[in-house]
Amino acid sequence: MLNFTFYSPTRILFGRNQIQNLGQQIKPYGSKILLVYGKGSIKKNGIYTAVIDQLKENGIDFLELAGIDPNPRLTSVVQGADLCRKHALTFILAVGGGSVIDCAKGIAAAACYEGDPWDFWSYKTKIRQALPVGAVLTLSATGSEMNSNAVITNEATGQKHGVGADALYPKFSILDPTYTFTVPPYQTAAGVADILTHVYEFYFSLGTEAYLQDSMAEGIMKTCIKYAPIACAEPENYEARANLMWASSMALNGTIGAGKRFDGFCHNVEHAISALYDLTHGVGLAILAPHWMEYVLDEQTVHRFALFARNVWNVEGQDEMEAARLGIQKTRAFYRSLGLPGQLSEVGIGPERFDEIVNKSLFRETLGNFKQLNREDVSNILLRAQ
Ligand code: NZQ
Ligand code: ZN
């Protein structure tokens, strides 16, 4: 286990009707806020009304920034920061999935910065200050509700980058599983693929095993495997939605990553793809992860894959290599059973821009920690995923 610092300051209010506490949670941060949300799902399912009622009951004035795109754009960040400065807003409330929460975090940082906000996502400067943010989560996937990351797309340059900073942790997040009842099966499945891939990024490591964290990681993966099909078949199954919601937060709040390294291959390559093709993040990960697993499986990595196969998928296998292969096959079949694609061609992506994807994914000579992969390897995996 490597040395680590664990910091997790977000207050979680989990369960039915936790929205009743929204006003009280916001009040310490002022009474003029920015309400940020997406393209309209919260108006259809009634969450918008519940939020507005709370704000009015508690005497909180608000301005709205609606229409945040999935894969949120830098232009929305700039627009929101302008509103905060112009109207002296002191708090930002995000109501939505990871895109809305990430955008709210981006606005929070940009509102406290004089320069071009892309400086943060191009790693020219660090985020040291941000307005306080709170979240009402409506989709289980990214973990943004309980972490310090914000992933933003610069549509002008075709780049999608993530940054992390202590100032970006939400002050609180309301996690009411009933708010995810209206998430369609395909989006539910994509969210599960995202949760699983956050776990893979930590679980698949060499020389940094941490029994406790790895056992918790296996628990999160088993939770996804058990409850994803139920949530897709019975969207209003509370236990399924509740387990997936907490799995979303636990996969990327630092718990299972403590003392481990983030591999990053699947996430870096997926961000490069969705920057160019505006693909749903979890769909890109569902395609890439099994191809990456097959590519990096060798004598060095087989033990970890065999553990994954045996502990998560209950695979027997005559030897470690056979068990490892069966585990990867099960992973692929699981995504298929949820209606997710297995190849890039299925989502209309051909090889034309593979070079660009390779360039955008590689910040250094190599990518990944479990197995360090060079440009040629990244290309090979893309060709297999084509
Ligand atoms: O636009 P609205 O109306 O909100 O609809 C959304 C959107 O179309 C819809 N949706 C959300 N809640 C719903 C609902 N539809 C019906 N009922 C509900 N209750 O779902 C669609 C997708 O929403 P989005 O927020 O884009 O999904 P997700 O939560 O998967 O977020 C994806 C973004 O987060 C980034 C991704 O790269 C991507 O940009 N990530 C953020 C991370 C982080 N901050 O830690 C880590 C991740 O690895 C990831 O990179
Ligand atoms: Zn992710």
Side-chain angles (χ1 to χ4, degrees):
M1 202 186 293
L2 303 171
N3 290 2
F4 63 87
T5 300
F6 183 76
Y7 180 61
S8 188
T10 302
R11 182 184 302 276
I12 298 295
L13 293 93
F14 191 100
R16 290 180 199 271
N17 300 321
Q18 288 286 8
I19 199 74
Q20 287 169 355
N21 297 306
L22 179 65
Q24 289 306 321
Q25 289 300 315
I26 296 175
K27 274 184 168 174
Y29 306 104
S31 58
K32 269 181 87 178
I33 73 163
L34 182 68
L35 170 63
V36 183
Y37 56 96
K39 298 233 175 246
S41 63
I42 65 163
K43 289 204 168 160
K44 280 195 209 126
N45 58 23
I47 298 172
Y48 176 82
T49 309
V51 168
I52 299 300
D53 287 351
Q54 264 293 307
L55 298 180
K56 287 187 176 158
E57 270 171 38
N58 287 277
I60 297 166
D61 289 336
F62 58 94
L63 285 181
E64 298 189 21
L65 179 65
I68 305 306
D69 302 277
N71 298 324
R73 315 287 198 259
L74 183 64
T75 44
S76 305
V77 168
V78 172
Q79 210 184 339
D82 286 347
L83 282 173
C84 289
R85 277 194 289 254
K86 190 167 168 208
H87 299 278
L89 307 178
T90 57
F91 182 83
I92 304 173
L93 179 65
V95 184
S99 294
V100 171
I101 303 174
D102 283 6
C103 188
K105 291 174 178 176
I107 293 168
C112 301
Y113 182 64
E114 294 296 319
D116 174 359
W118 189 246
D119 290 350
F120 299 133
W121 288 275
S122 54
Y123 311 113
K124 278 193 193 142
T125 187
K126 288 195 169 152
I127 296 174
R128 294 199 174 77
Q129 215 192 331
L131 293 178
V133 171
V136 176
L137 183 66
T138 67
L139 199 172
S140 307
T142 64
S144 186
E145 65 276 10
M146 203 178 169
N147 71 36
S148 61
N149 306 330
V151 183
I152 298 295
T153 297
N154 184 335
E155 58 276 52
T157 61
Q159 287 169 299
K160 178 179 177 181
H161 291 173
V163 295
D166 281 358
L168 299 185
Y169 279 103
K171 298 295 173 201
F172 65 84
S173 283
I174 291 182
L175 272 56
D176 181 337
T178 67
Y179 283 10
T180 62
F181 282 179
T182 52
V183 179
Y186 189 72
Q187 193 71 52
T188 300
V192 167
D194 192 20
I195 300 169
L196 281 169
T197 312
H198 296 155
V199 179
Y200 307 152
E201 300 278 18
F202 293 116
Y203 183 80
F204 290 106
S205 58
L206 286 176
T208 59
E209 284 75 7
Y211 186 82
L212 174 61
Q213 291 87 318
D214 290 342
S215 305
M216 288 193 279
E218 287 167 358
I220 295 172
M221 292 190 276
K222 287 199 276 192
T223 300
C224 289
I225 292 162
K226 178 177 164 82
Y227 284 112
I230 298 175
C232 288
E234 303 165 34
E236 302 201 3
N237 185 308
Y238 185 85
E239 275 313 300
R241 294 296 194 180
N243 275 278
L244 292 178
M245 200 167 220
W246 194 223
S248 156
S249 305
M250 289 301 289
L252 203 58
N253 69 356
T255 304
I256 62 162
K260 305 208 59 161
R261 282 192 199 99
F262 191 77
D263 182 79
F265 176 87
C266 291
H267 271 79
N268 276 297
V269 178
E270 197 296 316
H271 285 170
I273 295 174
S274 53
L276 295 177
Y277 292 97
D278 204 13
L279 183 66
T280 297
H281 175 60
V283 171
L285 294 172
I287 296 170
L288 288 171
H291 290 288
W292 168 80
M293 289 178 179
E294 274 167 359
Y295 193 85
V296 300
L297 172 61
D298 62 16
E299 289 305 322
Q300 262 187 325
T301 60
V302 65
H303 180 63
R304 206 84 290 254
F305 278 116
L307 272 181
F308 168 66
R310 289 180 171 143
N311 294 349
V312 178
W313 290 109
N314 297 318
V315 159
E316 293 289 333
Q318 300 225 329
D319 54 38
E320 286 204 321
M321 191 53 85
E322 192 191 34
R325 290 208 174 100
L326 288 171
I328 298 171
Q329 276 173 28
K330 289 245 183 195
T331 307
R332 177 167 278 136
F334 173 69
Y335 290 143
R336 281 275 180 221
S337 74
L338 296 177
L340 292 168
Q343 301 295 135
L344 291 169
S345 57
E346 293 171 60
V347 289
I349 298 176
E352 302 80 19
R353 301 182 83 177
F354 278 2
D355 278 349
E356 219 177 320
I357 294 170
V358 173
N359 289 338
K360 284 181 194 287
S361 344
L362 275 154
F363 290 98
R364 287 173 269 113
E365 289 282 290
T366 60
L367 186 54
N369 287 305
F370 186 43
K371 188 102 195 161
Q372 293 199 339
L373 300 173
N374 60 25
R375 298 182 60 81
E376 198 187 337
D377 296 315
V378 181
S379 271
N380 287 340
I381 294 174
L382 284 171
L383 287 169
R384 287 174 181 217
Q386 192 187 317

